Amino acid sequence: MKASPSNNGNPTDDMSMEIEQKSRAYPIWIDKRRAVDNNSRPYDWFVSEDLPTNDKDPKGLLFVKVLKCSSSTGAGVTLRIQDGLSKRLNQPNPNKSQAAHAPGSCMSNQHATAGELRFHKRDPSQSFLWSIVREPAQRTLSHYFYFDVSSRNDTATEDGIMAVLKFPTHPRPWHPQHNYQSKYLDLPSQNEQSSSSTERIINGYDFVAVSDRMEESLVVLAMLAQIPLTDVVVFSSKIAGGYDGGNGRSCVKLKKKWTTPKIDEYIHGDYQSANKDDYLLYNAAQRSLDKTIDALGRKRVEENVELLKSLQQQNDEQCASKTTMPCPQPKDESMKEEHKRLAKESCYKDDFGCGHACTDEVLADYAAKEWTSITSS
């Protein structure tokens, strides 16, 4: 038994050309819109009111939460971006109490596919759509270790892992299935033969981040949306001792993934063959991230990555002790209700964007300076 390896999903030579063809450099949102409509404004995708998750014409900041793809972090970032813009563009009453969530962002709290959310019906001139992908085998392993092991407080077995890697297609989003991410993120088309799911996703989203390159991805997201880096500074939702859940859900202690030589051999062979669409999407997202970094200026992105790390460190040092995460809950029953209350105040929703009020306070000066620079350029 060994710790689960990082399988990079390295493409074959035959796949490399297809990856190059299906990847692209994501444009800055306003530059893309002004190429179509010169009257477009930088934050036309910002919507201040609450948005339903079943809107027939989705608009605003849209995020697809793919299970076990850093979705809690992505949800926290989405809510934080919307909260920041709401304050800057709408100038709300400073005495108004903090809303339980940021209005104008649309995502399902219970995990729903892009098709179920009708994001293929969105108006590109009034929305910014993004999501996160992950190396497919690592996502499947996390799925198994969360649902079958951690949630049930059960023991992982080689046979159990092999079974979930081979699991047949299942209609519900919380069950593992081949090419899970491609199906989850796909934007249905009237002519399904017009393109592959990878093309529809890469071309249909304003940005697709890569889970194992999160710092680069968040910097690029901020640059494409033209928002301050402070808006993508969040605590990891799993920093509280490796727990998940809380605020209405059970706290789950996450158990570490592992594999065996037999499992690794299967992953590098039959699993990758059975999940060609997901590996194509993952590698196209990786290549698209690189192309976008080159288009934005690699040196500039690298400098911003270092800046983001510095801002994150400031946030960790000054806000960690002031932030109440939903999990773990105190063992003392008399303290649980107060803990729940503090956690709800601390987070936008569930364990998303916890500590945001402290983050705003700690990074306020830099955020104001960066916003002035963005809006005056």
Side-chain angles (χ1 to χ4, degrees):
M1 183 187 302
K2 62 180 182 178
S4 175
S6 176
N7 182 338
N8 293 323
N10 292 325
T12 62
D13 291 340
D14 291 340
M15 190 186 289
S16 295
M17 182 175 294
E18 189 174 9
I19 291 168
E20 191 66 25
Q21 292 173 344
K22 296 185 186 304
S23 59
R24 66 169 178 140
Y26 292 99
I28 293 173
W29 188 89
I30 185 55
D31 291 347
K32 176 181 66 175
R33 291 309 312 161
R34 282 181 176 162
V36 178
D37 180 1
N38 195 48
N39 293 320
S40 296
R41 296 170 298 177
Y43 304 103
D44 280 349
W45 54 266
F46 170 80
V47 179
S48 59
E49 69 268 17
D50 275 331
L51 300 171
T53 57
N54 61 348
D55 193 348
K56 65 178 181 180
D57 183 26
K59 58 180 69 69
L61 182 57
L62 312 178
F63 177 66
V64 183
K65 293 171 72 250
V66 183
L67 207 61
K68 313 319 295 178
C69 287
S70 302
S71 61
S72 292
T73 297
V77 168
T78 299
L79 294 170
R80 182 156 174 74
I81 291 171
Q82 188 65 30
D83 189 23
L85 280 179
S86 179
K87 292 170 181 174
R88 296 185 193 103
L89 299 180
N90 286 354
Q91 298 181 348
N93 182 348
N95 294 319
K96 183 179 179 180
S97 61
Q98 174 62 47
H101 65 282
S105 54
C106 183
M107 61 187 184
S108 171
N109 192 36
Q110 299 301 322
H111 292 284
T113 68
E116 289 170 335
L117 292 168
R118 300 177 59 87
F119 284 173
H120 57 295
K121 298 288 188 180
R122 74 184 180 109
D123 182 349
S125 69
Q126 296 184 66
S127 59
F128 189 107
L129 173 61
W130 79 292
S131 190
I132 307 170
V133 296
R134 186 179 182 184
E135 197 283 322
Q138 291 301 303
R139 196 216 67 81
T140 301
L141 289 170
S142 288
H143 195 123
Y144 169 75
F145 274 85
Y146 179 80
F147 287 100
D148 292 70
V149 180
S150 300
S151 294
R152 299 177 182 177
N153 196 25
D154 206 348
T155 301
T157 65
E158 184 180 69
D159 288 345
I161 296 172
M162 290 294 292
V164 81
L165 290 169
K166 296 178 179 180
F167 207 97
T169 300
H170 194 287
R172 297 308 302 162
W174 52 82
H175 283 270
Q177 54 185 287
H178 293 319
N179 299 304
Y180 181 94
Q181 296 175 80
S182 297
K183 295 170 182 175
Y184 209 100
L185 293 171
D186 198 9
L187 299 170
S189 169
Q190 291 182 345
N191 179 8
E192 292 293 340
Q193 303 303 317
S194 63
S195 60
S196 69
S197 59
T198 293
E199 286 179 291
R200 288 191 293 272
I201 294 165
I202 295 296
N203 292 323
Y205 284 65
D206 293 296
F207 182 55
V208 177
V210 179
S211 178
D212 45 314
R213 298 175 63 183
M214 189 57 74
E215 288 170 339
E216 291 172 282
S217 293
L218 291 180
V219 164
V220 168
L221 173 65
M223 294 173 75
L224 295 180
Q226 293 193 308
I227 56 171
L229 282 179
T230 52
D231 283 4
V232 298
V233 173
V234 295
F235 283 115
S236 167
S237 296
K238 310 302 182 288
I239 61 170
Y243 280 86
D244 188 17
N247 280 347
R249 297 181 295 152
S250 298
C251 289
V252 176
K253 177 68 174 176
L254 303 178
K255 295 185 179 181
K256 190 174 182 180
K257 303 191 302 291
W258 55 263
T259 64
T260 64
K262 178 181 177 181
I263 293 169
D264 292 342
E265 182 180 1
Y266 180 78
I267 288 174
H268 290 288
D270 290 347
Y271 178 85
Q272 289 193 10
S273 296
N275 290 274
K276 286 182 179 179
D277 289 350
D278 267 12
Y279 276 99
L280 178 59
L281 172 61
Y282 173 71
N283 283 293
Q286 290 260 31
R287 184 69 184 113
S288 294
L289 179 57
D290 283 327
K291 286 183 176 181
T292 306
I293 289 172
D294 288 336
L296 293 170
R298 185 162 291 272
K299 182 179 179 182
R300 182 181 171 206
V301 171
E302 289 172 350
E303 290 173 347
N304 281 342
V305 167
E306 293 306 310
L307 178 56
L308 178 61
K309 290 179 181 178
S310 176
L311 294 171
Q312 185 66 62
Q313 183 177 354
Q314 291 179 53
N315 186 53
D316 291 348
E317 291 174 350
Q318 299 185 51
C319 292
S321 62
K322 302 175 183 178
T323 298
T324 302
M325 302 294 289
C327 296
Q329 294 179 351
K331 294 181 180 180
D332 187 337
E333 289 292 331
S334 65
M335 299 175 63
K336 285 188 176 181
E337 286 304 315
E338 177 64 7
H339 179 270
K340 287 181 182 179
R341 183 187 68 79
L342 292 173
K344 279 195 171 185
E345 290 180 357
S346 179
C347 310
Y348 289 120
K349 291 181 181 180
D350 297 335
D351 57 353
F352 309 153
C354 299
H356 56 86
C358 180
T359 303
D360 282 345
E361 182 179 352
V362 168
L363 304 181
D365 290 344
Y366 183 82
K369 178 181 178 182
E370 193 175 8
W371 179 247
T372 298
S373 176
I374 291 171
T375 54
S376 63
S377 61

